[in-house]
Amino acid sequence: MKKKTIGIIAISVLCAFAIFAGAMFTHQYLDAKNSVEQFDELTDLIADVETGPETESPEESESTEEPELSEEELAAAQAALAHEKYGALFEQNQDFIGWIKIDGTKVDYPVMQSPNNPDYYLKHSFEKAYSDYGVPYIDEACATGISNNLVIYGHHMKNGTMFSDLCNYTDADFCKEHPIINFDTLSGFGEYQVVAVFKFNTNHEDFRYNEYTQMNEEQFKEFMSQVQARQCYDTGVDAEYGDQLITLSTCEYTYNNGRFVVVAKKV
């Protein structure tokens, strides 16, 4: 009788585990499917605008004289174009900061910021529903147009989405083939050249790369010195004070609680 009771309990436990595992698998599948579909829908909201100057022939250039714009006028024109391109996204969610894309990879996502709830988009979608995929987001200490280093976080998902492709930068050849990161904000458009990449052990490091967001000249030199001391290889590209940086951060599993970091400068 005891053996029969133990058998029934064991079968019940196995059934419960199977139901739980099935529910988890279904949740993960639907979350992944919904995430892909939602980001595809957001991409469709990006307006097609001309973001760079049109090329003119020498004859056209000579025959048509246009007044030179001041830096302020150029910045205002860029901001107007950026709002035209991404305005529909901002209307849907005013936490929208910009869009990041690396050609030839799956990195092609909106970037968010919620300073009053800093890690909100770690586990929430663009539509603010719970999601294990989240949305790439900027550190709460950063301010576009003010900070000279914008730190952007994104998940490393097993299906290769979000910031997973950043870890391909461990290969120097991949970096040579994908040297440019496009990051647009509502203030304008930006191309950033990869300066350095490194693996980071959060459990054994005093260097806090994500805290270098508004740097004076001394802090900038310190940041770059720390980054170069850890870099996986020499990219041949350097950054100096006055450059605008982005620092992309995602999980990496060489270390327990490790990170992979890509630093790039605006060109």
Side-chain angles (χ1 to χ4, degrees), residues 10-265:
I11 292 172
S12 298
V13 170
L14 288 173
C15 288
F17 177 78
I19 292 170
F20 174 77
M24 289 297 296
F25 175 81
T26 301
H27 165 75
Q28 291 171 357
Y29 170 78
L30 292 175
D31 194 14
K33 182 174 181 291
N34 290 337
S35 177
V36 171
E37 290 176 352
Q38 288 169 2
F39 285 125
D40 285 344
E41 291 171 1
L42 294 175
T43 303
D44 291 339
L45 292 177
I46 300 174
D48 186 14
V49 300
E50 179 61 51
T51 60
E54 295 182 0
T55 302
E56 296 180 341
S57 66
E59 293 80 7
E60 289 174 328
S61 179
E62 290 174 5
S63 62
T64 306
E65 289 188 7
E66 295 184 359
E68 290 187 7
L69 298 177
S70 66
E71 288 188 12
E72 292 78 9
E73 289 171 327
L74 284 171
Q78 284 280 297
L81 282 173
H83 275 273
E84 181 181 348
K85 184 171 184 176
Y86 298 108
L89 291 164
F90 184 69
E91 286 180 11
Q92 281 204 12
N93 187 335
Q94 294 188 4
D95 290 338
F96 173 80
I97 289 293
W99 195 279
I100 190 165
K101 181 177 181 179
I102 304 175
D103 289 338
T105 76
K106 292 183 179 179
V107 178
D108 190 10
Y109 299 109
V111 177
M112 317 299 285
Q113 188 180 39
S114 52
N116 295 327
N117 192 356
D119 295 323
Y120 181 79
Y121 288 98
L122 186 69
K123 290 292 184 180
H124 286 85
S125 69
F126 187 91
E127 290 78 13
K128 299 187 177 182
Y130 181 87
S131 171
D132 287 330
Y133 287 73
V135 189
Y137 64 99
I138 293 181
D139 191 279
E140 69 273 16
C142 298
T144 57
I146 298 175
S147 301
N148 52 1
N149 185 22
L150 299 176
V151 181
I152 308 175
Y153 307 107
H155 281 301
H156 181 165
M157 303 305 292
K158 291 181 180 179
N159 65 356
T161 59
M162 308 313 293
F163 274 9
S164 298
D165 278 343
L166 290 186
C167 293
N168 290 329
Y169 279 103
T170 53
D171 182 356
D173 288 335
F174 181 88
C175 185
K176 291 177 182 177
E177 294 166 3
H178 304 83
I180 298 298
I181 299 170
N182 294 287
F183 177 53
D184 300 338
T185 70
L186 293 171
S187 299
F189 310 99
E191 288 189 351
Y192 294 77
Q193 186 175 16
V194 175
V195 173
V197 304
F198 60 95
K199 296 179 181 180
F200 191 81
N201 186 345
T202 60
N203 295 329
H204 296 89
E205 287 274 11
D206 294 327
F207 173 50
R208 296 290 179 258
Y209 62 86
N210 59 321
E211 295 180 0
Y212 289 77
T213 57
Q214 182 56 44
M215 299 176 281
N216 58 31
E217 187 169 2
E218 183 179 346
Q219 291 167 333
F220 193 98
K221 289 180 179 179
E222 180 183 349
F223 175 76
M224 289 307 305
S225 175
Q226 294 279 4
V227 166
Q228 289 166 349
R230 292 164 173 78
Q231 64 185 353
C232 296
Y233 47 84
D234 184 358
T235 63
V237 180
D238 199 4
E240 58 185 22
Y241 186 66
D243 287 331
Q244 173 64 52
L245 305 180
I246 55 173
T247 297
L248 312 184
S249 176
T250 193
C251 290
E252 199 276 335
Y253 305 109
T254 299
Y255 308 108
N256 182 27
N257 201 24
R259 299 289 185 272
F260 191 77
V261 183
V262 177
V263 178
K265 70 173 182 179

